[in-house]
Amino acid sequence: MVRVSVVVPHWNRRERLQPLLKQLRVQTHPIEEVIVVDDRSTDGSPEIARSLGARVIRMRAHSGFARAVNRGLGESTGDYVAVINNDVDLDPYWLEHLAHALPAFALDQELDEREHLGEGERGLLLALQLGHRGVHLLEGDQL
């Protein structure tokens, strides 16, 4: 079975985080771990995340999306990593469908050859594969 870690970069907006974490708990494919990388929220988000079973990593200072994602990727233990925003609405079968498709794809194939995938699925598939390969997002001073 494909082991998937889920990384949620987060800053405030706990009213969005709580429903997402509840949706992750009812996924039909087991999740290896849910990591909320908290970018110094001031609204009680870390406590909400912990109470819903997420592992919380607090950034030392408000550092932005890319650094939060990189930290989550570095701390994840799954075979693949799904990076998702805190404002998505997930179907209970979301991860099952993606995990089922993952073994059939190799990173060296062209994504545009996968015509049966929608644009959002292609992007997430690429993020999962890149996270698995240890690729990180570039930060502002690296561009």
Side-chain angles (χ1 to χ4, degrees):
M1 180 171 286
V2 176
R3 297 178 328 117
V4 179
S5 297
V6 175
V7 172
V8 182
H10 179 75
W11 183 55
N12 291 321
R13 311 286 309 260
R14 77 178 189 184
E15 72 278 1
R16 294 197 182 257
L17 181 64
Q18 189 170 11
L20 171 65
L21 294 176
K22 288 180 179 180
Q23 291 170 6
L24 288 171
R25 292 178 78 174
V26 299
Q27 289 296 304
T28 56
H29 181 86
I31 296 174
E32 180 74 16
E33 61 189 338
V34 175
I35 301 172
V36 173
V37 183
D38 185 73
D39 202 14
R40 302 308 292 177
S41 294
T42 58
D43 66 349
S45 291
E47 293 77 18
I48 293 290
R50 279 189 199 95
S51 75
L52 291 170
R55 176 177 162 210
V56 176
I57 300 171
R58 297 251 326 173
M59 299 295 283
R60 291 186 184 157
H62 182 62
S63 304
F65 179 82
R67 286 194 173 141
V69 169
N70 287 341
R71 179 75 186 274
L73 290 174
E75 298 275 340
S76 64
T77 61
D79 298 322
Y80 292 90
V81 179
V83 177
I84 56 176
N85 289 340
N86 62 4
D87 61 351
V88 298
D89 188 27
L90 300 175
D91 179 272
Y93 300 98
W94 164 76
L95 189 55
E96 180 180 345
H97 292 301
L98 285 173
H100 180 72
L102 285 172
F105 299 104
L107 184 60
D108 57 353
Q109 293 177 336
E110 293 296 322
L111 288 175
D112 59 4
E113 292 177 4
R114 300 178 191 147
E115 295 175 9
H116 64 284
L117 291 178
E119 286 303 313
E121 293 168 312
R122 280 191 196 126
L124 184 55
L125 178 61
L126 178 60
L128 287 167
Q129 290 176 327
L130 292 178
H132 177 65
R133 292 286 184 95
V135 176
H136 298 287
L137 296 176
L138 291 176
E139 299 169 20
D141 56 348
Q142 296 172 320
L143 297 175

